[in-house]
Amino acid sequence: MKAVVDTNVVAYFLLGTPKFVAEAREFWNQADELLAPAVWEAEIANVIWMAIRAKVVTAQDATAKLALAGRLGILSINNRTLWHGALARSMSSGVAVYDTLFVELAEREGIAMATFDDKVLKAYPEIAKRPRELL
């Protein structure tokens, strides 16, 4: 399966978030080719940093999780190739550009986007899907 993967799917997988980890793990086990706008790299580092601050993970575990994120095989696509379309999508939907970058990439590639983000799922039901819907 080829799909665009939202940072929240990566985060729930890496952090083992109880409500989402089983679905994220099953998605990850069946994914062949995953893409994301390059912004996902900064977003996942920030999520892990916030997990340290909230004492969800230790600094040592966080370093290991970030290293694992780098080995997940996600193809990072330059944001600049997507930002005009993402801005247009944000203006019409009210969804943040950070999120519409992923939608724009999925649309351009002609593939689905895996996400847990309710606002994105609602605004772009033809593109954005829960990971379980892509299995």
Side-chain angles (χ1 to χ4, degrees):
M1 159 194 15
K2 180 178 180 181
V4 170
V5 61
D6 196 351
T7 306
N8 58 43
V9 178
V10 180
Y12 295 150
F13 174 73
L14 291 175
L15 296 174
T17 306
K19 185 176 177 181
F20 303 103
V21 69
E23 185 176 344
R25 188 176 294 129
E26 187 175 347
F27 171 78
W28 221 266
N29 289 335
Q30 295 190 33
D32 297 324
E33 187 177 352
L34 296 175
L35 297 85
V39 70
W40 85 270
E41 296 164 345
E43 287 181 337
I44 198 65
N46 196 63
V47 166
I48 292 170
W49 169 71
M50 290 178 4
I52 296 167
R53 291 182 62 202
K55 300 191 183 324
V56 172
V57 297
T58 66
Q60 184 176 7
D61 287 342
T63 301
K65 289 187 184 304
L66 189 60
L68 175 56
R71 294 190 308 271
L72 289 175
I74 300 169
L75 178 62
S76 295
I77 306 301
N78 189 312
N79 298 314
R80 192 173 295 182
T81 65
L82 305 166
W83 65 3
H84 287 283
L87 178 59
R89 287 179 185 280
S90 292
M91 290 187 298
S92 66
S93 68
V95 174
V97 171
Y98 294 112
D99 297 322
T100 60
L101 285 164
F102 293 83
V103 176
E104 181 68 15
L105 177 57
E107 176 72 24
R108 287 189 186 186
E109 292 290 321
I111 57 178
M113 171 192 170
T115 185
F116 289 107
D117 187 315
D118 288 332
K119 192 168 185 176
V120 174
L121 289 165
K122 189 173 188 174
Y124 299 99
E126 69 287 352
I127 298 170
K129 308 289 182 192
R130 286 279 302 247
R132 66 176 173 241
E133 294 178 73
L134 301 178
L135 302 177

